Amino acid sequence: QIALKIEQDGFQVDRASAAGKRFGAGGYFAEDPALADKYAGAGEGLYSGCYAMLLCRVALGAQYHVRDFKDEKAAEKAGR
């Protein structure tokens, strides 16, 4: 259902996520599909037993390099 909602409404990176809190709220993407697969959950109803993964082309703007293992304030420090 989440993948379908993203397809319909687009990414809502300004909202807090239930997963991926290592660097605060935002969009989290992975090069390795196995890593993304860890966050996939089974669908419900018509999508019961189905797992979805979005294939996205991501273009980075200005990067903010984080040296700490976890920094939930990284987005604020980067000036977003």
Side-chain angles (χ1 to χ4, degrees):
Q1 271 75 9
I2 295 172
L4 185 58
K5 184 140 181 72
I6 291 171
E7 187 272 328
Q8 292 171 346
D9 301 337
F11 285 100
Q12 304 293 321
V13 295
D14 57 331
R15 295 184 184 171
S17 170
K21 297 280 187 176
R22 186 170 173 189
F23 303 113
Y28 287 76
F29 299 89
E31 288 183 79
D32 184 353
L35 179 60
D37 185 52
K38 291 180 183 180
Y39 291 95
E44 299 172 356
L46 178 64
Y47 301 104
S48 179
C50 295
Y51 293 78
M53 182 182 301
L54 299 174
L55 178 61
C56 304
R57 180 175 293 185
V58 179
L60 297 177
Q63 297 180 36
Y64 177 72
H65 187 98
V66 177
R67 297 182 190 276
D68 298 322
F69 175 74
K70 184 173 182 176
D71 187 352
E72 294 181 4
K73 301 285 185 186
E76 292 174 30
K77 293 177 185 177
R80 295 183 187 168

